Amino acid sequence: MQFLTNTNFEFINHRRKAFVVSAILIAIGLFSILFHKGLNYSIDFVGGSILEVRFDEPVPTGDIRSSVASTGVGTFEVQKFGDPREILIRVEKSSESGELGSTLLAAFQRDFPDRKAELRREESVGPRIGAELRKKAFLAILFALLGILIYISFRFEFRFAVAAVIALIHDVLITLGAFSLFNMEISLAVIAAFLTIVGYSLNDTIVVFDRIREDLRLYSRQPYDRVLNTAINRTLSRTILTSTTTLVVVLFLLFVGGSVIRDFSIALTVGVVIGTYSSIYVASPILVEWFGWASARSKSKRMK
């Protein structure tokens, strides 16, 4: 199915403007990560306990905070969780024995005798396990990018692989920066979303690269940048269709999927938008810059 045929939008000539936009977005994200809010790791990575409690009637969040604080559990967070009667309590201290849940239920029974509280979930992760998971998550993304570099070098050329990996790092950095800027939690589910973003963006980039490789053989006498711009236009219909249908599904997950997968859905939403943008304005334009740099270097050597 194609709804855009014979388009001739100018993408390559606007690549420098796109590079500036990408640099600004990445700089804002890095500033937030390094100097502003940093990364808000979930208990999956920092260790601690998470408890899901359901009351038979809604209880003000402030009253629940006071009740939890009275138990002396240390640093904690309380937030509504879907239904107004359900709350999520994150405690920095890990309690693998299960005593924390009993302590909090006893406090709720004491402070809210007219309400019935039910402990629905209690999970604990030790600080050492959290640190190991953080390291493994980082290595998973690193090895994924390394594997992609090798695979595309083998299938195309090394410069295509470098362009694709830079585009993927661009996507992950912008998504990570958005999570830091809005103080959203980095959990194992979000890491899974990052790996999904890498796969999605790569698939889109490879489709464009396939067309570029074919057109470079067919139109070898045409200017390099014109061949690439035409290739992007020829795959534009497919790119828009794929991105739009994926985005619709992800938005459904975001608005209907509930709070459990909200951060996962947000990561995918940002990733699909940025991944589509990078396959057009980052990956292929890097090839043009590489070609220009290699041509100038070759010319300089001949003149010597």
Side-chain angles (χ1 to χ4, degrees):
M1 177 181 177
Q2 278 201 331
F3 66 95
L4 288 175
T5 55
N6 300 321
T7 59
N8 190 27
F9 296 112
E10 189 52 66
F11 296 111
I12 294 297
N13 279 350
H14 295 300
R15 63 185 184 280
R16 301 285 171 82
K17 296 174 188 172
F19 289 164
V20 171
V21 171
S22 295
I24 291 172
L25 291 177
I26 291 172
I28 292 173
L30 289 177
F31 178 83
S32 179
I33 292 171
L34 298 175
F35 304 109
H36 186 216
K37 293 182 177 178
L39 293 176
N40 179 18
Y41 290 112
S42 73
I43 66 164
D44 295 335
F45 299 114
V46 296
S49 299
I50 185 168
L51 301 96
E52 183 184 336
V53 179
R54 180 185 174 91
F55 289 90
D56 58 344
E57 294 291 338
V59 178
T61 307
D63 294 345
I64 295 172
R65 286 198 182 96
S66 300
S67 181
V68 175
S70 69
T71 63
V73 295
T75 306
F76 68 90
E77 290 180 12
V78 175
Q79 67 181 90
K80 293 289 183 183
F81 180 65
D83 191 293
R85 295 169 297 178
E86 296 179 349
I87 59 166
L88 205 62
I89 304 169
R90 289 185 173 83
V91 181
E92 202 171 88
K93 186 174 78 173
S94 175
S95 174
E96 297 179 8
S97 62
E99 294 178 355
L100 185 59
S102 304
T103 303
L104 293 182
L105 285 181
F108 294 152
Q109 192 172 11
R110 179 196 65 209
D111 296 334
F112 317 118
D114 298 334
R115 299 284 182 270
K116 184 179 178 182
E118 176 190 359
L119 181 64
R120 294 197 148 191
R121 178 164 61 112
E122 180 176 0
E123 297 174 4
S124 295
V125 177
R128 181 178 296 178
I129 296 175
E132 286 180 7
L133 285 175
R134 195 163 60 234
K135 180 182 175 185
K136 288 179 179 177
F138 172 76
L139 290 176
I141 294 178
L142 188 66
F143 285 135
L145 293 175
L146 185 62
I148 289 166
L149 188 70
I150 296 170
Y151 167 71
I152 299 184
S153 296
F154 178 75
R155 180 170 170 179
F156 294 90
E157 296 174 28
F158 181 66
R159 57 180 170 164
F160 283 79
V162 173
V165 168
I166 290 175
L168 295 178
I169 293 173
H170 163 278
D171 298 346
V172 171
L173 281 179
I174 290 180
T175 309
L176 203 60
F179 264 68
S180 171
L181 200 62
F182 297 104
N183 203 30
M184 290 181 285
E185 200 170 67
I186 306 290
S187 63
L188 285 176
V190 171
I191 296 299
F194 285 165
L195 291 172
T196 306
I197 291 168
V198 168
Y200 175 83
S201 181
L202 178 67
N203 180 56
D204 213 28
T205 302
I206 283 181
V207 170
V208 178
F209 281 180
D210 260 332
R211 175 61 70 174
I212 289 173
R213 182 174 55 179
E214 189 176 323
D215 285 359
L216 284 174
R217 291 171 184 162
L218 293 174
Y219 311 106
S220 58
R221 294 189 177 182
Q222 290 189 15
Y224 192 81
D225 60 337
R226 293 301 87 203
V227 175
L228 266 63
N229 196 69
T230 303
I232 295 173
N233 273 284
R234 286 183 175 179
T235 55
L236 190 62
S237 180
R238 181 263 176 204
T239 300
I240 292 176
L241 274 174
T242 305
S243 299
T244 304
T245 50
T246 307
L247 193 61
V248 168
V249 174
V250 173
L251 287 176
F252 264 104
L253 288 176
L254 177 61
F255 293 112
V256 185
S259 54
V260 174
I261 60 170
R262 182 162 298 147
D263 288 348
F264 174 80
S265 306
I266 290 173
L268 287 182
T269 303
V270 176
V272 168
V273 174
I274 297 299
T276 305
Y277 161 83
S278 71
S279 66
I280 295 174
Y281 281 109
V282 178
S284 302
I286 286 175
L287 292 176
V288 175
E289 294 294 338
W290 187 304
F291 180 82
W293 170 78
S295 299
R297 190 180 177 193
S298 176
K299 186 177 179 182
S300 175
K301 284 184 177 178
R302 284 199 302 271
M303 290 179 68
K304 289 179 181 177

